[in-house]
């Protein structure tokens, strides 16, 4: 008998996650094995996901459907601190030669909302979606530094401070000192803390006149190979600061 209620919802979302994370289409049998459920249950869960456009069935298996891009556009509309953020990211990419990102904190979560990094670049360490490495990324530090201390402590308690590289800060006390420096200097930097080969630089975006969500904090950031960053740090910082100012 197919599951009903919360278990059914959880399994349906797990199927959606599995298809999204897979390198190619997934068949119903493969999904049933991953969900540890019967094939009939898998089809029962796949039917509404397909009907609503979250998934599409192809001869090779299930893939993400046409509803997904609409969800991302809605996310941008709900979170975007200013119009034309995509244009701002593109200009920042051209001026620095580095991939640019727009990130937001809202409701206890940090999300990489948009980026200039190609979706086909699977090797790139920062991708759109939920950010779980905020303690080790420049955009995460920039956002955490703007939060009241109770919210910051709650976020770190829920998400942890995993050691990702030898440079990762894993002490709450040391991170507080780092965030104090971020507030003082006006920008955050992460050199090899989330990925040993990359440096990212970020600034929290000042609130504009049209910002409606008082609980949201936004950040603009760039990432590039550390060797390249070391050749022109001031140029990168200046371009990032200019882009943040231009968003108003």
């Amino acid at each position: 008998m197919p599951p009903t209620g919360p278990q059914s919802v959880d399994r349906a979302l797990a199927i959606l996650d599995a298809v999204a994370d897979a390198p190619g289409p997934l068949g119903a049998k493969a999904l049933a094995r991953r969900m540890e459920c019967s094939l009939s249950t898998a089809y029962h869960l796949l039917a509404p996901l397909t009907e609503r456009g979250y998934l599409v069935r192809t001869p090779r298996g299930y893939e993400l459907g046409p509803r997904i891009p609409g969800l991302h556009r809605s996310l941008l509309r709900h979170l975007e601190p200013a119009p034309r953020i995509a244009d701002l990211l593109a200009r920042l990419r051209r001026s620095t030669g580095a991939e640019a990102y727009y990130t937001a904190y809202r409701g206890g979560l940090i999300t990489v909302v948009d980026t200039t990094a190609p979706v086909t670049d699977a090797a790139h360490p920062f991708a759109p979606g939920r950010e779980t490495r905020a303690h080790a990324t420049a955009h995460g530090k920039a956002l955490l530094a703007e939060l009241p201390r109770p919210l910051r402590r709650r976020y770190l308690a829920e998400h942890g401070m995993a050691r990702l590289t030898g440079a990762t800060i894993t002490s709450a006390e040391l991170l507080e000192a780092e965030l104090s420096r971020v507030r003082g200097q006006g920008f955050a930097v992460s050199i090899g803390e989330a990925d040993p080969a990359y440096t990212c630089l970020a600034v929290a975006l000042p609130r504009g006149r049209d910002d409606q969500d008082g609980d949201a904090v936004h950040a603009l950031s760039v990432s590039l190979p550390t060797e390249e960053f070391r050749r022109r740090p001031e140029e990168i910082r200046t371009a990032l600061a200019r882009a943040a100012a231009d968003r108003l």
Side-chain angles (χ1 to χ4, degrees), residues 71-83:
L71 292 177
H72 186 251
R73 285 193 296 270
S74 296
L75 176 64
L76 287 173
R77 186 173 66 251
H78 291 172
L79 283 177
E80 193 169 72

Side-chain angles (χ1 to χ4, degrees), residues 123-126 133 136 164-165 168 190-199 226:
H124 201 79
F126 310 109
R133 308 162 299 172
L164 305 172
T165 74
T168 306
S190 168
I191 301 177
E193 295 179 45
D195 184 284
Y198 278 82
T199 285
T226 295

Side-chain angles (χ1 to χ4, degrees), residues 79-99:
L79 283 177
E80 193 169 72
R84 298 178 298 278
I85 195 72
D87 292 340
L88 180 62
L89 294 179
R91 292 199 305 271
L92 183 56
R93 174 70 176 82
R94 289 193 296 270
S95 66
T96 62
E99 301 299 352

Side-chain angles (χ1 to χ4, degrees), residues 43 45-57 62-63 66:
Y43 277 121
L45 297 168
L46 285 162
L49 291 171
T50 305
E51 290 171 4
R52 290 175 177 267
Y54 294 102
L55 296 178
V56 61
R57 188 177 185 180
Y62 289 88
E63 298 179 311

Side-chain angles (χ1 to χ4, degrees), residues 137-224:
T137 65
H139 50 258
K141 293 180 190 178
L143 294 170
L144 291 173
E146 293 293 308
L147 297 180
R149 189 163 185 167
L151 286 183
R152 185 163 60 246
R153 285 181 169 178
R154 185 184 309 165
Y155 179 90
L156 294 172
E158 291 177 355
H159 294 85
M161 298 176 63
R163 181 172 295 282
L164 305 172
T165 74
T168 306
I169 298 174
T170 58
S171 160
E173 182 179 351
L174 291 178
L175 183 62
E176 281 296 329
E178 172 75 358
L179 298 181
S180 179
R181 283 192 291 272
V182 169
R183 287 188 290 271
Q185 65 193 13
F187 64 89
V189 64
S190 168
I191 301 177
E193 295 179 45
D195 184 284
Y198 278 82
T199 285
C200 49
L201 192 73
V203 293
L205 291 174
R207 295 184 184 277
R209 292 186 300 272
D210 297 330
D211 288 351
Q212 300 296 319
D213 193 343
D215 294 329
V217 185
H218 312 278
L220 196 63
S221 63
V222 293
S223 74
L224 67 168

